[in-house]
Amino acid sequence: MNRRRSRLIRDILLETFLYGLFVVAYTAVVLRWLDGWLTRLFHSDLIAYAAVGLVLIVAQGVVLDLLTSFLLERLGLGRPQ
Amino acid sequence: MTFPISGVTVDPFVLAGIGFAVGVLGGFFGVGGGFIAGPLMFWAGVPMHFVVGTDLAHMTGKSIVAARRHRALGHVDIKLGLVMVGGTVLGVEGGARIVEMLKRIEAVETVIGVAYIVVLVIIGTFTAWESLHALRVVRRDRLDAREALAFDGIARRVRRLNLPPMVSFPASGIATVSLWAVLGVGFITGLLTGVLGVGGGFVRMPLLIYVLGVPTHVAVGTDLFEIVISAGFGTVTHALKGNVDILMALVMQTGAALGAQLGATSTRFFAGPRIRLLFSVLPFIGAALVAARLW
């Protein structure tokens, strides 16, 4: 039981670390390269801004999560269940 | 750092820290965590209309991660979540229009601040009282802690309400219930989403448990699923009204996504009434933060 629990904790930490790296990198890229464009969009076209904003947020949640799953699988580690 | 979209100057590490804290709490309690994030952002100096819109945006992405986790654990009633959407969307739009009206008469900070305090104090008091009562029932009658409720009778009365059309939700153990009761739960929480910029989970979760009789662990997952939809719709409608700083939301989401991972996983170590008792402290913290900024 203890062994199972420590394995679960190890898997969670590994997954969180990997996912964390992706999320931080993604946010840094958006802040560095897209801030000017997003600001102009906010002031000129709110419909496009709303659509792009939703895509950016959903991508950060879903795409990076899927990427983490894919990498963990490739590394033969799987996700904590 | 000054965020160019809203023109607000705030430390991005503070925002990421707020995101992480509400991510852990949100993932654990099955709520978006907006009722804590909103007061914290307001306290950090973000104007209330940007608090409402940006909070919803950061919650959308984070709740997707947590909802996927809970779905993998079998804690999401997809059918119940989808049926509730109709009421939720109407409520969110109504709430967003109320915010616009308050902006026009320059009363948005005070009115929404006071609304926050009132709603949070009511929810915190009710949940604390109920979970303590349920824990006494568990000890006295040796019930399964996951299913113990102090207000089982309310759910039974709601299910007996014969107002067609009637629907069933087998995944939640609901044989038959009026569609209007489900839509009503969605509308009330949607309205809170639109006005306060919260996912509405701190109201929806108690309503799912006490009014519809959904088991606590399913209510947690289904609530997160519903938050994805309500916060997503709220993000779009508030972005169209110029209330969302997407850069600020992404920074918050950085911390929140990680926190949600940890929070959702840790629910497996706790049972129903204990989750609700811990949950009851959070609304009081949120209310105190808003009161500190207003006065």
Side-chain angles (χ1 to χ4, degrees), chain B residues 60-84:
Chain B
T60 305
K62 185 200 71 184
S63 299
I64 290 173
V65 177
R68 277 166 50 84
R69 281 282 175 287
H70 281 276
R71 193 173 173 219
L73 296 168
H75 294 172
V76 179
D77 186 337
I78 300 274
K79 184 182 172 190
L80 176 60
L82 289 175
V83 169
M84 259 193 301

Side-chain angles (χ1 to χ4, degrees), chain B residues 164-200:
Chain B
M166 305 299 282
V167 283
S168 68
F169 302 100
S172 297
I174 300 173
T176 180
V177 67
S178 170
L179 175 70
W180 300 107
V182 181
L183 290 177
V185 168
F187 181 78
I188 291 166
T189 51
L191 198 62
L192 286 168
T193 299
V195 173
L196 301 182
V198 296

Side-chain angles (χ1 to χ4, degrees), chain B residues 84-100:
Chain B
M84 259 193 301
V85 164
T88 303
V89 166
L90 277 177
V92 173
E93 187 55 38
R97 288 180 188 212
I98 290 172
V99 171
E100 286 309 291

